[in-house]
Amino acid sequence: MIAIKNLKVDLGDFLLNNINLEIDSGEYFIILGPTGAGKTVLLEAIAGLYPVLEGEIWVEGREIARLNPEKRRIGIVYQDYSLFPHLSVEENIAFGLKLRKCPKASIKEKVNDIAEIVGVTHLLERKPQTLSGGEQQKVAVARALVTEPEVLLLDEPLSALDPETKEMMQQELREVHWRTKVTIIHVTHDFEEAIALGHRVAVLNNGCIAQIGAPEEILRQPNSEFIAHFALSRNIFTGEAEEGEDGHACIDVGGIKLRGVTDLRREVRLSLRPEDIIISKEPLHSTARNCFEGVVSDIAHRGAVVYVTVNVPPNFICLITRQSFEELELKKGVRIWITFKASAVHVF
Amino acid sequence: MTKTSVWRKPDSMSIVFILLGVIILLFIFVPLLKTVSSSSPGTLWNTLLDEEVYSSILLTIYAAMIATLVGLFLGVPLAYLLARRQFWGKRFLEGLIDIPIVIPHSAVGVALLFVFGSNFLAGKIFHSVGIVFFNSVAGVVIAMIFVSIPFLIDSAKEGFKAVDVRLEKVARTLGASPWRSFLRISLPLAWRSIFSGSVMMWARGASEFGAVLILAYYVPFFGHYARVAPILVADRFNSFGLDYARPVTAIVILISLIVFIVLRTIAYRGEKA
C-alpha cells in the first residue's frame, strides 16, 4: 500500500498542502486536476525529485519521504517521455539494470521480456528520435518498469498524443497494468482518461485534494468547479456487459439495460454525451437502440442551451437547445422519453 | 530543420546583405591568403625547419592544450552549476567570468604576476611544489587559461542548459546517483558544446600575445628556449622588418588554420545527421 500523509510541498506561487492519499497495491490511481494545479510537482515529490516540506510517504511499509530518488524504487514517465537521445531503445530500457550491476545475460532477458509486454521488441535497435509519440511512450514505460519499481508514476502520459493513438495507448496502459500488476499513479487534466483508466480518482484543486472516489461517484457530487464543469458534460455508468441480440452488448446499469457497441464482456464503465440524447414526449420509432421513459428531475439553464436531468432511474443528463426546451414545455416532474443510439454509448 | 537558401529569392535585401557579407569575408581572408601565398613552399619548409620556429609552434600548441585541459577540469563543473542552479548573485558571477575578454591582455599579465610571481602568495605555494610561473611554460599556460577560459565555460554552460533536466531526473529514479547521472547523461549530451568550447579556448589561448609577453616571454621548453608563436612573429617584425616576418607569419597562419579546421570538423561531425 502507498500512503501519503499530510504532505506539504512549496510550489513557489502556492503550496500543495495537506495531501493525504491511500492507494492500494496494484491499483490504477488517477490524480485529476486543472493545468497548473501542481500535479507534476506532486509526482516529483513522491519520486524524490522535488523537496518535501513536511509529511510522510509510505510505500509498502517503508517511509521514503527523505530518501534520495535512486533509493525509492519509484519509476516515472514524463509527458514528453524524456528518453535518453544518445542511447538506443535497448540501451534506454537497460539503463536502470546496468546501474544495478545486473549480469549481462539477465539484462538482455529482462529487456526482452518487458519489450514484449509493452510491444516494442521490433524497435530495440532504433534511436528515440526516430520513434512516433506512442512508440516513445511505450519505451518510456518499459524503461521505468524494467527495474521493477513499487510504484509507476505517469505524468500526463497521453496528452501529447493524437486522439486515435491516445485511445490505443489507453488500451495499452490497461493491458500493461493488468500484466505487471504494478501500482500506477497517473496524473492528468483529462476526465476522459480518468474515466477510462482509473479505479479511483483524486481531484487536486487549489493545492489540496478536493475529492477521492470512483469516477462516477465524483461526478455525482462534484466538489470543485473543475469537476462540476465535467459533471454536466458526461453521463457515466458502471455495469456488467453481456451478450445482447444482434451483436450488441447489453449493459445492466442498475434497473435498465443499455445497448452499446463493444467486444468487452465484463464489468465496464461507459460514458454518454448529453448532446447525444434525444428528448421526446412520445416513444420514438427510430433505428436508435436505446429508448427509456423517465421523469424530469432537474433543469439547468446555460445561455442558449439547457441541461435537463431525466430520472429513469438512473439519472441521465441531456443537453437540448433553449428552443426545444420551450417547444417541449418541459418542467420538473414531467414524464418524457429519452432516446440514444448504441454507438453513442462509449464503453471502456 | 531546413534553412531557406538565400539564393532562392534574390530580392534587393538579400543582394545588399550578400554584398556586405562578401566585403567582410574578403577583409578576413585576403590578408591571410596574401601572406601565405607570398612565400614559396620551399621558403615555408625551410622556415619550418628553423629551430626557433618549430619549437615556438610546438610550445604554443602544447601550452594551449594544457591550458584547455585545466580549463575542462575546472571549468566544466562550474558551467554545469551555472546551467542548473539558481542562486543569489548568479548574474553577477556570469558577468565576472566574461571579464577576461574585456581586460587588456597586457594588464592581465601584470595582474597575474601580482598573484603568481614568486614573491606573492599563490606563487609561493606553487613554488614550494616546484612550479614557477615567471618565464616558464607554466606561466604561458596560466596566461592562456586566464584569457581563454570564458569561451569554454560559456559554451559548456549553453550545452548543459540544452540538456532537458528531466533526463537527469529520470536517470535518478532509475537508480543513478547524481555523479552517475552527470557522467552518463548530462556530460555525453553536452559533449559537443563542451568540445567546441574547448576548440575555441585552445584557439584563443594559442593566439594570446599580451599576457604571455609579460608573464613568460622566453621560456625553457624541452631543452631549448622558445617564445610562443604570436610573440615570435612580433619579434621578427620588430627586429628585422616585414620581409623577414612574412614566412614565419605564413607558417603560423597555416598551422593555426589546419588545427582549427580539423578540430571544428570533429566537433561538428554528425550534427546534420
Side-chain angles (χ1 to χ4, degrees):
Chain A
M1 196 178 74
I2 293 126
I4 294 169
K5 295 180 185 168
N6 301 316
L7 197 70
K8 190 173 185 179
V9 179
D10 186 358
L11 290 172
D13 296 339
F14 63 102
L15 284 176
L16 277 187
N17 212 346
N18 210 9
I19 304 288
N20 285 287
L21 291 173
E22 288 199 354
I23 299 163
D24 292 330
S25 301
E27 186 171 2
Y28 200 122
F29 193 84
I30 300 263
I31 296 174
L32 182 67
T35 309
K39 302 188 297 289
T40 300
V41 171
L42 177 56
L43 284 194
E44 290 196 338
I46 296 172
L49 301 167
Y50 199 95
V52 166
L53 291 182
E54 284 170 25
E56 297 170 7
I57 303 171
W58 290 83
V59 175
E60 308 300 340
R62 288 191 306 152
E63 208 284 303
I64 59 163
R66 305 291 179 278
L67 289 182
N68 283 333
E70 61 267 30
K71 305 262 186 272
R72 292 197 182 194
R73 298 174 50 86
I74 292 179
I76 191 164
V77 173
Y78 280 109
Q79 180 174 1
D80 54 7
Y81 319 127
S82 299
L83 298 178
F84 305 132
H86 58 311
L87 303 179
S88 71
V89 167
E90 182 167 14
E91 290 165 328
N92 261 280
I93 299 176
F95 187 86
L97 295 174
K98 282 185 182 156
L99 289 171
R100 284 173 176 70
K101 306 245 184 300
C102 290
K104 269 214 171 112
S106 126
I107 290 180
K108 185 100 190 146
E109 194 185 315
K110 286 183 179 179
V111 169
N112 287 339
D113 286 352
I114 198 75
E116 196 269 313
I117 289 179
V118 302
V120 295
T121 308
H122 59 297
L123 303 173
L124 287 176
E125 306 297 319
R126 302 257 293 270
K127 278 283 175 79
Q129 308 77 288
T130 68
L131 305 181
S132 71
E135 288 168 340
Q136 289 189 42
Q137 192 196 47
K138 290 181 189 180
V139 175
V141 169
R143 179 179 63 182
L145 284 178
V146 77
T147 57
E148 293 167 23
E150 269 154 343
V151 186
L152 177 63
L153 308 175
L154 304 176
D155 177 22
E156 301 261 4
L158 304 172
S159 59
L161 301 174
D162 60 87
E164 209 168 304
T165 317
K166 193 167 173 172
E167 190 122 331
M168 197 184 77
M169 286 310 300
Q170 284 183 2
Q171 198 63 44
E172 293 279 349
L173 282 176
R174 247 196 308 264
E175 174 84 13
V176 166
H177 177 243
W178 183 78
R179 287 183 68 168
T180 59
K181 309 278 188 286
V182 68
T183 310
I184 292 181
I185 304 177
H186 172 144
V187 306
T188 180
H189 64 272
D190 185 342
F191 205 92
E192 297 285 346
E193 268 172 58
I195 301 162
L197 291 165
H199 295 157
R200 283 190 307 150
V201 176
V203 179
L204 190 63
N205 202 28
N206 297 327
C208 305
I209 303 281
Q211 226 173 341
I212 302 181
E216 56 270 33
E217 286 169 28
I218 284 177
L219 273 197
R220 219 165 288 143
Q221 288 168 315
N223 204 341
S224 57
E225 207 163 303
F226 172 65
I227 297 301
H229 169 74
F230 281 106
L232 281 179
S233 73
R234 293 292 178 281
N235 293 288
I236 311 281
F237 306 103
T238 308
E240 194 73 25
E242 290 162 6
E243 195 66 41
E245 75 269 28
D246 29 292
H248 285 133
C250 188
I251 306 139
D252 189 333
V253 294
I256 58 167
K257 291 190 177 200
L258 304 187
R259 278 161 187 75
V261 185
T262 175
D263 294 330
L264 301 174
R265 296 292 178 266
R266 55 170 170 76
E267 190 176 81
V268 292
R269 191 172 282 149
L270 49 93
S271 95
L272 175 62
R273 291 174 176 273
E275 60 269 32
D276 287 339
I277 304 177
I278 297 166
I279 296 180
S280 57
K281 288 196 151 174
E282 301 295 327
L284 272 190
H285 293 286
S286 70
T287 56
R289 309 304 304 171
N290 296 292
C291 190
F292 306 99
E293 190 183 18
V295 177
V296 175
S297 63
D298 197 19
I299 294 166
H301 294 275
R302 292 285 185 279
V305 296
V306 182
Y307 287 95
V308 178
T309 307
V310 179
N311 187 264
V312 171
N315 280 339
F316 285 81
I317 297 162
C318 314
L319 175 65
I320 57 174
T321 62
R322 201 175 181 89
Q323 201 183 353
S324 314
F325 176 77
E326 279 160 11
E327 281 170 17
L328 288 167
E329 296 166 339
L330 293 182
K331 49 181 180 266
K332 272 194 194 177
V334 170
R335 295 200 75 83
I336 51 154
W337 289 80
I338 60 169
T339 308
F340 48 93
K341 295 176 18 174
S343 58
V345 178
H346 194 60
V347 182
F348 307 102
Chain B
M1 244 184 290
T2 51
K3 287 177 188 161
T4 321
S5 164
V6 289
W7 301 111
R8 203 167 291 158
K9 284 184 202 163
D11 55 281
S12 60
M13 190 182 83
S14 300
I15 290 167
V16 171
F17 281 16
I18 288 166
L19 284 175
L20 293 173
V22 166
I23 291 172
I24 195 69
L25 289 173
L26 287 176
F27 173 72
I28 293 172
F29 289 110
V30 169
L32 297 180
L33 284 174
K34 189 139 191 294
T35 312
V36 172
S37 61
S38 63
S39 304
S40 70
T43 316
L44 287 181
W45 181 245
N46 284 332
T47 310
L48 192 58
L49 294 180
D50 177 351
E51 185 196 299
E52 206 178 36
V53 174
Y54 72 71
S55 54
S56 160
I57 286 169
L58 288 178
L59 168 67
T60 310
I61 293 177
Y62 174 80
M65 203 176 73
I66 301 289
T68 307
L69 291 176
V70 174
L72 280 171
F73 183 69
L74 299 176
V76 168
L78 176 61
Y80 182 75
L81 288 179
L82 290 172
R84 281 289 180 259
R85 302 288 168 124
Q86 298 303 323
F87 50 86
W88 186 86
K90 182 173 155 181
R91 275 291 166 83
F92 175 74
L93 201 62
E94 286 175 321
L96 215 60
I97 288 164
D98 285 338
I99 280 183
I101 295 173
V102 294
I103 295 189
H105 290 173
S106 46
V108 169
V110 173
L112 284 175
L113 259 187
F114 260 112
V115 175
F116 291 98
S118 301
N119 299 327
F120 302 95
L121 182 63
K124 277 181 185 163
I125 294 170
F126 280 99
H127 197 121
S128 65
V129 292
I131 298 175
V132 178
F133 293 101
F134 187 65
N135 280 347
S136 74
V137 175
V140 178
V141 169
I142 60 164
M144 287 178 170
I145 293 174
F146 192 97
V147 299
S148 62
I149 190 77
F151 295 96
L152 174 57
I153 293 179
D154 288 344
S155 179
K157 183 178 76 186
E158 292 310 315
F160 284 126
K161 272 189 188 167
V163 177
D164 185 353
V165 68
R166 288 184 167 180
L167 296 178
E168 295 171 9
K169 289 182 171 180
V170 167
R172 296 294 303 278
T173 66
L174 292 171
S177 64
W179 286 104
R180 288 281 191 121
S181 137
F182 177 75
L183 293 174
R184 302 279 291 271
I185 303 299
S186 327
L187 200 57
L189 286 173
W191 177 243
R192 183 167 292 143
S193 298
I194 295 170
F195 189 79
S196 68
S198 305
V199 173
M200 288 303 295
M201 179 173 177
W202 180 88
R204 181 64 196 81
S207 59
E208 177 52 22
F209 174 74
V212 178
L213 182 76
I214 294 198
L215 202 61
Y217 171 66
Y218 209 41
V219 303
F221 179 62
F222 289 111
H224 306 288
Y225 269 84
R227 284 162 280 189
V228 292
I231 295 180
L232 181 69
V233 169
D235 278 357
R236 291 263 169 118
F237 176 71
N238 287 333
S239 312
F240 309 106
L242 183 61
D243 280 345
Y244 198 66
R246 195 188 294 140
V248 70
T249 307
I251 289 282
V252 168
I253 291 172
L254 274 178
I255 290 181
S256 307
L257 277 181
I258 291 167
V259 176
F260 192 61
I261 289 169
V262 167
L263 290 176
R264 267 186 73 98
T265 313
I266 297 172
Y268 290 103
R269 193 179 49 187
E271 186 159 86
K272 284 180 185 165

